[in-house]
Amino acid sequence: MTVKWLMHFQPNQGTTLTSQVMAEACAVAESFPGVSRDGRWRSAMTFYRAVPRDQSLPAPSDLPRDLIGISLHDLPNEYLFVMRSQRLILRAHSSVQTVMDKLQSYKGRFFINFEGLQYKWGDFKLRIGKCLYNPNEALRGIVMEVEYLPLSSMDKSQRVMEEFYEIWREAVASKLLAGQFINTEVNFVEYGLGDSYTPQHTAVLYGMCVVQVIASSNKNQ
Amino acid sequence: MECVVQGIIETLHVEALEILLVGLCGAPKQRVRVHELCLKSGPNLVSSEVRLLCDLAKTTPSWTIRHVGGAMRGAGADQLSVLVRPIAESKASSTALRFFYGIGYKLDHEVLKTGFAFQFQNRGANLTVSVTSTNRMPRLHATDDAVPITPGIHLVEITAPAAPENYTEVASAIASFCEYLSPLLHLSKPGISTGIVPTAAAAAASLMSSGGGIKIL
C-alpha cells in the first residue's frame, strides 16, 4: 500500500466551518496544472461504547471509551478497529462487524462519514472530503487525504510529502481560506507499525485526525 | 449458519478412518493444528463468548474470530439428525487476542487441536470432515508442550456451511455421508454421545488389510 498523509482544516479562531470551505479547497485542487477529477470517495467511522452487564449503571471505567471502527474507501472487504489509549489496531475481514453485533458487548453509539471528491495529480491522489455526523449529516470538518503512489516507505516519501504539503498550504493561503490545513502527526512506532505503509497506518491517522476535527469543531461552535 | 455432527473414535482406528476418508472424499488430506482460545466477557460487560482460532499448520499463523450461536430449536430442528446453529466468522490480524483483552474479555480456556481434515462436496454441500485430538497446555499458550485431554480418543466432526433456505438439504448431505462411516463410528448432534461403535475394530482391520479399496463418491 502506498503512503498517505491525512490533514484536516483548522478554521481561524472565531470563524465557523461551512460547506463553502469544501468547495474552495476543491477549487484549489482543481487549479493545479494537469489535475483531473477521479470520482468520489467515502470512508465510514463508528464510535463504539461498552454495554455494561447492569445497564442501569454507567459503563465501568476500566473498559475502553475510545474504541473506533473504520471502513476505508479503498478496502471495502475489510474493517479496522483502533484503540488509541492502548495503541492497538485490529485489522479484519468486514464480517467482523457481524461478530461484534452477535457479541452485543459493544454497540455503535455515533457515526461519522468522510466523503467527497478525488483527484489525480501526477504521482499524487488527493481526496478532499467532508466529515459528517451520521445520520443528520451535520458538518464537523473538512479533511484531505494525500496519497503518493510510487512509494510504500514512509521514510523515503517524507521529503516529497513535505514538499507537497508546502505547495498545498501556499495554494490554500493564496485563496484566502479562513483557516489552514494541519497535517495529522502520529508516532506509528507506538502502535507497533513500521516504515512500510499499511491500512493500519491509515486507520491510526483517521483515529487521530477525527479527535482533532471534533475538538476543533466543538471549540468553534 | 452451519450444520454439524460429532463422534469419537479410538486413536488406534484413526489410520483406518483416514484410509476410508481418502477413498470416500477424493480430496487431499489437510493437516490440522489449531490453537483455539475461548474468551468470555468480563464481569462488567454484557455476557458473551468468542473464540479465537490460530491456524498453526501454515508457515505464517493466521487468525480467525468466531462466534457460535445457540442451536436451532423447534420441531423441524428436532427431526434433523444434525445440529444447525448460527455462525459468524472473520479473518483477523495477529492482534486479535490483545484486542479482545483490551475490550474486556478474559481467557476462559484454550486447547490445541491436532489431526487432519478433508474438504469435499457431497450432494452439493461443502463438507469438512476433521479428525482431531484435543490437547491441553500445561502453561499459558504453550502449544509445543500440549498433551491430549483424552489419550486414546479422537474427535471426528463433520461441518458444512448452510443458509436458512438450504439447511435441510445440507443436513441430509451430512447424514448420508455419515452412513459411509457407520462401520467405524457413529456421528450425532454435539452433546449427544453415542460412544464407541462395537464394529469399529473389525471394520478398521478390514480397511487396513484392504489398503483402502473403497469406491470414491
Side-chain angles (χ1 to χ4, degrees):
Chain A
M1 178 164 264
T2 48
V3 174
K4 294 177 181 176
W5 279 27
L6 184 64
M7 305 162 199
H8 77 277
F9 186 78
Q10 173 76 55
N12 290 336
Q13 187 77 19
T15 61
T16 303
L17 183 70
T18 66
S19 295
Q20 184 61 24
V21 173
M22 169 83 175
E24 290 170 357
C26 289
V28 170
E30 288 168 8
S31 71
F32 286 0
V35 74
S36 59
R37 198 180 276 196
D38 192 29
R40 301 189 65 87
W41 69 284
R42 185 173 181 273
S43 294
M45 182 180 285
T46 301
F47 289 74
Y48 287 89
R49 286 289 182 266
V51 180
R53 195 168 294 208
D54 182 348
Q55 300 198 29
S56 65
L57 298 174
S61 57
D62 60 333
L63 295 173
R65 301 177 66 82
D66 62 346
L67 177 65
I68 61 172
I70 305 171
S71 171
L72 295 172
H73 59 87
D74 50 354
L75 290 171
N77 294 326
E78 295 195 19
Y79 199 76
L80 296 103
F81 288 100
V82 179
M83 257 188 286
R84 284 183 304 108
S85 54
Q86 300 189 36
R87 304 291 191 264
L88 185 54
I89 314 153
L90 176 71
R91 180 180 175 186
H93 187 270
S94 55
S95 54
V96 75
Q97 296 170 83
T98 304
V99 176
M100 294 299 283
D101 285 344
K102 298 287 186 190
L103 291 174
Q104 299 195 327
S105 50
Y106 283 78
K107 296 228 165 143
R109 291 304 183 207
F110 68 95
F111 311 89
I112 288 183
N113 290 336
F114 302 87
E115 55 189 60
L117 298 174
Q118 182 168 275
Y119 299 90
K120 185 114 180 5
W121 185 51
D123 289 330
F124 291 92
K125 269 204 175 171
L126 315 178
R127 298 176 186 97
I128 302 172
K130 295 179 185 177
C131 176
L132 301 167
Y133 270 163
N134 190 1
N136 67 3
E137 299 218 328
L139 179 67
R140 289 313 239 181
I142 304 290
V143 298
M144 184 167 83
E145 188 186 285
V146 182
E147 184 175 3
Y148 185 58
L149 300 173
L151 291 176
S152 300
S153 161
M154 290 192 298
D155 283 347
K156 289 179 182 160
S157 61
Q158 179 78 15
R159 184 169 172 186
V160 68
M161 293 298 257
E162 284 173 347
E163 287 174 358
F164 173 85
Y165 186 40
E166 279 311 305
I167 292 170
W168 178 256
R169 280 161 57 96
E170 286 174 11
V172 165
S174 72
K175 295 291 184 188
L176 301 176
L177 265 68
Q180 57 180 328
F181 278 85
I182 307 290
N183 185 40
T184 306
E185 302 276 347
V186 173
N187 184 345
F188 290 112
V189 173
E190 289 182 333
Y191 286 84
L193 299 177
D195 177 63
S196 186
Y197 195 84
T198 65
Q200 286 92 319
H201 291 77
T202 306
V204 171
L205 281 174
Y206 272 91
M208 188 66 77
C209 180
V210 78
V211 169
Q212 296 167 358
V213 165
I214 292 173
S216 172
S217 170
N218 291 343
K219 194 172 158 190
N220 284 317
Q221 278 185 340
Chain B
M1 183 178 270
E2 71 173 10
C3 296
V4 58
V5 290
Q6 287 179 348
I8 55 172
I9 189 169
E10 289 184 89
T11 300
L12 59 97
H13 299 319
V14 164
E15 191 178 348
L17 176 59
E18 181 181 341
I19 291 172
L20 179 59
L21 289 172
V22 166
L24 287 172
C25 303
K29 183 179 82 171
Q30 297 170 6
R31 182 173 163 243
V32 171
R33 187 174 172 82
V34 175
H35 183 187
E36 185 172 315
L37 301 99
C38 179
L39 306 178
K40 293 188 177 176
S41 53
N44 294 330
L45 270 177
V46 161
S47 178
S48 64
E49 184 177 308
V50 68
R51 288 171 191 270
L52 301 187
L53 309 177
C54 183
D55 186 350
L56 299 172
K58 301 186 179 75
T59 315
T60 304
S62 63
W63 289 82
T64 302
I65 302 169
R66 184 173 160 94
H67 177 266
V68 180
M72 181 186 284
R73 293 182 179 181
D78 291 344
Q79 287 171 6
L80 295 174
S81 59
V82 309
L83 187 138
V84 184
R85 61 192 181 188
I87 289 287
E89 275 190 346
S90 171
K91 291 288 183 196
S93 58
S94 58
T95 51
L97 182 59
R98 277 183 58 212
F99 172 78
F100 278 97
Y101 283 160
I103 62 170
Y105 281 73
K106 318 280 182 203
L107 180 66
D108 184 74
H109 65 272
E110 57 178 346
V111 295
L112 178 71
K113 292 188 172 177
T114 56
F116 56 87
F118 293 86
Q119 289 184 315
F120 61 101
Q121 281 213 337
N122 184 35
R123 295 190 182 183
N126 294 318
L127 269 58
T128 299
V129 181
S130 63
V131 182
T132 57
S133 166
T134 304
N135 306 271
R136 63 173 179 82
M137 281 149 273
R139 292 176 313 283
L140 188 66
H141 307 329
T143 53
D144 289 342
D145 299 328
V147 293
I149 293 174
T150 51
I153 294 289
H154 270 60
L155 175 72
V156 181
E157 190 174 73
I158 303 181
T159 58
E165 57 271 12
N166 77 345
Y167 70 87
T168 51
E169 286 83 17
V170 174
S172 176
I174 291 179
S176 77
F177 186 76
C178 288
E179 294 295 320
Y180 293 103
L181 306 183
S182 58
L184 275 175
L185 76 159
H186 282 167
L187 294 133
S188 59
K189 293 178 181 178
I192 300 175
S193 174
T194 55
I196 306 288
V197 169
T199 55
S206 173
L207 280 160
M208 296 299 287
S209 64
S210 70
I214 306 291
K215 181 182 170 183
I216 294 177
L217 286 176

